[in-house]
Amino acid sequence: MSLEPLRLRGRAAAPGLAAGPLARIVAATEENFHTGQPDVERAALKQAIDAAGAELAALAASETREAAEILEFQREMLGDGDLSAPALAEVEAGASALRAWKGALDAQIADYSAAKDEYFRARSADLVDLRDRVLRLISGNGQRASALPDKAILVAEDLAPSRFLEIDWKRSSGIALTAGSASSHVAMLARARGVPMVVGLGEIPAKDGALILLDGEQGEIEIAPSATRLADWRRNIAAFAQRRADEAGRAEAPAVTRSGRRIRAAVNIQGLEDLTPDAAHADGIGLVRTEFLFEAGLAPPSEADQLDVYRRILDWAAGRPVAIRTLDAGGDKPIRGVTFDGEANPFLGVRGLRLSLRRPDLFKAQLRALARAAASGDNLKVMLPMVTVPDELAEARRRLDVALAELSAEGLEARRPALGIMVEVPAAALAIDRFDAEFYSIGSNDLVQYVTACDRGAGELAGLADPLNPAVLELIRRTIAHGKAQGVPVSLCGDMAADPRYAPALLDCGLEEFSVPPMALGRLKAAIAGHG
Ligand code: PEP
Ligand code: MG
C-alpha cells in the first residue's frame, strides 16, 4: 500500500528547495535520539563527559588565574567517578544518556542547594554548569549530531539560534518548524546561510525518516511524495541553484537606479564564515552581529579573541566601511551567564546597549578590542543597538573615551572609531533630532515589532507586523531626513532591506544605503535597477 502524499502549508521563512528524510530535533532536556541501546548510550555519555572536561581545560588555559581555578575545580568535580556513577547506573537500567545525566545531576543539585553549609550551597551553581555543558554535548555534538541522516530536513517546534549554529549544514538540507516565525533570529540565520526554512506548519503527521519535500518560497512541505514527484523536485532544486547563481552574477555590478542614482549596498554578517564570495561585491559591511561570537556555556570572548576577529573582518573589507555592532544580547538572543534570566518581557527588557551598560566588564573588553582594531584604518564604525535616549549614546561615548585613555596609558595602538546608533526603538526614531550620532542604521526588524506591537517571534501576527505600515515608513523617513540634515550617513540593515518588494518604498523615503545578507545582494541590486 502506498501512502498518499500529504501537503502542509506554513509560512516561508528562508528561500530554497530541499528534499530529504525527516529528523526531529527536540530540546536538549527531552528524549531526542534515544537509541534504546545501553552500550551506545554509555559511550555517548562518557564521550560527552570527556569532551566537557577537554572544553574546561582549554578554557582554563585562556583565562585569568581566578577564573582558571574555578574551571579547574569544575573539571575535577566532573572527573570524580562519584558524580557520574548514578547516571551510568541509570543508563545500564535502560535510560538514555540525556535523561540519565539530567536526572542524576538534578538530584545532586537539589541536595547541594538544600545543604546547611554555605560552601556546599555555592557548589550547586558549579553542578548546574556541569549539567548543562554535558547535556549540550550529548544532544548537539559528536555522535548525536552525526546520527542525523544525510540531507535531513529538521523538524522542531522552534529552534534556538545557538542550536542552529551547532548543526552541520553541509549535511542537513532544510528546516520545517511546527511553530516559529519568519522574523526570528534563527530564520535570519537560515536566510544568511542559504538553508531553506518553513515555519508555522502545525503538527507534522510523519515519523522520523519519512521523505519530505520542502519549499522555502511557497512555505510548504510535502510528505511521502511519489518517485516521479521526487524526480521533478530534484530538477527544481537544480533550477533554483541556477537562479541563485544568476542572482549572484547580478551582485557584481554596482547598485544604481534606472535614473542613475548610486545606492550603497552593504552586507550583514554574523561572523567570518559569512564573508562568502556573494559578499565580495558589497560596498562595505553594514552590520556585524557580534553577539554570535558569544557561545552558550563558554566564557565570553576575550579582548584578544575579539581583536583578532575584528581585524580579520577589516582585512577582508580592504578599506570599505565596516559597522561593527556592540553586543546585542537579550530578547530572543539570551546568552547564559550574560543576559538576565526570568524577565517577563525579554524584548522590552535588558537587551542591547542596556545590557552592555550594566555589564561594564564585557562592554569595556569590547570597546577596547574595537578601538584597537580601528588603529589599522579609518573605516571601522561602532554601532550601538537598542538606543532609546541620547544619554545612553553619551554614556557609551564616555566609556569609549575611558577605554581609549587606558589603551594610550598602556602604550597600545588605538584609534577612536565613529560611533553611531541603531534606530530601532520608536522613542529614538520619533525624537531622532535629539541625537547627534556619527551615523544611523535603521533596525527595521525591531522597529516594526515595537511600532506594531507584534512580537517578531510570533508568526501568527506576521500579517500585522507589516514593514509598509505608514507609521513605520514615517519613522524611516524622519530618520533619513535627520541624517541628511546633519550630513551623516543613514542605512537600513533590517530584513526589510533584503526583500525586493520593499525596495521602492525605501528608495522613495530617500534611503541611500541598504545592508542585506550576502545571498540577497544580487536580488537587491536587481530591485534597485528596476526603480526609477
Ligand atoms: C533589526 O532589529 O532590524 C536589526 C538589524 O537587528 P537584529 O535583527 O539583530 O535585532
Ligand atoms: Mg534589532
Side-chain angles (χ1 to χ4, degrees), residues 325 328 351 424 446 456:
R325 180 171 74 183
D328 188 22
R351 62 173 296 216
E424 48 188 351
D446 279 310
R456 62 194 271 181

Side-chain angles (χ1 to χ4, degrees), residues 460-478:
E460 196 57 33
L461 299 173
L464 202 55
D466 179 10
L468 296 182
N469 183 306
V472 173
L473 291 180
E474 172 56 26
L475 295 182
I476 292 176
R477 235 188 317 266
R478 248 171 214 255

Side-chain angles (χ1 to χ4, degrees), residues 87 94 161 191-192 204 211 240 247 284 291 294 451 487:
R191 288 191 289 274
I204 299 177
L211 183 61
F240 180 84
E247 275 177 11
E291 49 282 6
F294 288 66
V451 170

